[in-house]
Amino acid sequence: MVFCFDSKDYSQIRNGLTVLNKILPEFPVVLNLAQALEKRILKVKEEEKTVRPDLYALAMGYSAQLNSRRNTFIAEEKFHHVEKKTAENSTSRNSSPVRKDKRADSVKRRTSRSRRRNGEEKMI
């Protein structure tokens, strides 16, 4: 939805504002998202003030309603679990220790099967 306001297309901006006005009682709930929307709406208000007064009026109305709901927004951490980015979390999922062990076991089994087929009975 935020990307609608970055475009210069009249219908995308108007439709985005219309949808946001309709879903305002339920969305946004998270403070971070509300702040991002507020920045985009401010940008629309500045750009469309003299060019398209109807979009400016829609943006002003939404902005006022959004500001009136400011005390109902909650922090992202209270809305859902947010993992803190650390060096451990930045590694890919494929390199987890459990998966490495499973891959190693798989390689051992394949090696032992191929040796048995070749006449070697000794396992690694």
Side-chain angles (χ1 to χ4, degrees), residues 5-8 13 40-52 55-56:
F5 302 123
D6 286 338
S7 79
K8 301 298 179 191
I13 297 170
R40 304 298 170 130
I41 297 298
L42 180 64
K43 182 180 168 188
V44 169
K45 288 190 316 187
E46 291 171 356
E47 291 175 354
E48 304 299 337
K49 187 172 186 174
T50 57
V51 181
R52 300 177 186 150
L55 289 181
Y56 175 73

Side-chain angles (χ1 to χ4, degrees), residues 77-88:
E77 296 81 25
K78 291 182 181 180
F79 187 72
H80 63 90
H81 178 69
V82 178
E83 289 187 24
K84 294 182 181 179
K85 293 183 179 182
T86 62
E88 291 177 16

Side-chain angles (χ1 to χ4, degrees), residues 2-123:
V2 174
F3 296 110
C4 289
F5 302 123
D6 286 338
S7 79
K8 301 298 179 191
D9 186 24
Y10 171 82
S11 61
Q12 279 190 354
I13 297 170
R14 186 196 66 216
N15 291 343
L17 285 168
T18 303
V19 167
L20 285 174
N21 273 314
K22 296 289 183 184
I23 64 173
L24 187 63
E26 305 298 325
F27 180 83
V29 177
V30 180
L31 181 62
N32 296 353
L33 186 55
Q35 290 171 341
L37 280 171
E38 191 174 29
K39 287 178 187 176
R40 304 298 170 130
I41 297 298
L42 180 64
K43 182 180 168 188
V44 169
K45 288 190 316 187
E46 291 171 356
E47 291 175 354
E48 304 299 337
K49 187 172 186 174
T50 57
V51 181
R52 300 177 186 150
D54 58 332
L55 289 181
Y56 175 73
L58 282 172
M60 284 293 292
Y62 180 75
S63 179
Q65 290 179 354
L66 189 64
N67 283 334
S68 71
R69 292 197 61 227
R70 181 171 291 283
N71 61 351
T72 64
F73 299 141
I74 59 175
E76 187 175 4
E77 296 81 25
K78 291 182 181 180
F79 187 72
H80 63 90
H81 178 69
V82 178
E83 289 187 24
K84 294 182 181 179
K85 293 183 179 182
T86 62
E88 291 177 16
N89 290 342
S90 65
T91 60
S92 69
R93 291 183 178 184
N94 291 337
S95 64
S96 68
V98 174
R99 294 196 83 151
K100 283 183 182 177
D101 291 341
K102 287 182 180 179
R103 278 189 246 137
D105 289 343
S106 174
V107 170
K108 285 180 184 178
R109 277 186 255 128
R110 278 184 276 166
T111 306
S112 65
R113 279 188 219 136
S114 65
R115 286 187 177 167
R116 277 184 265 160
R117 274 184 257 156
N118 293 335
E120 298 175 23
E121 292 295 323
K122 190 177 188 181
M123 287 187 71

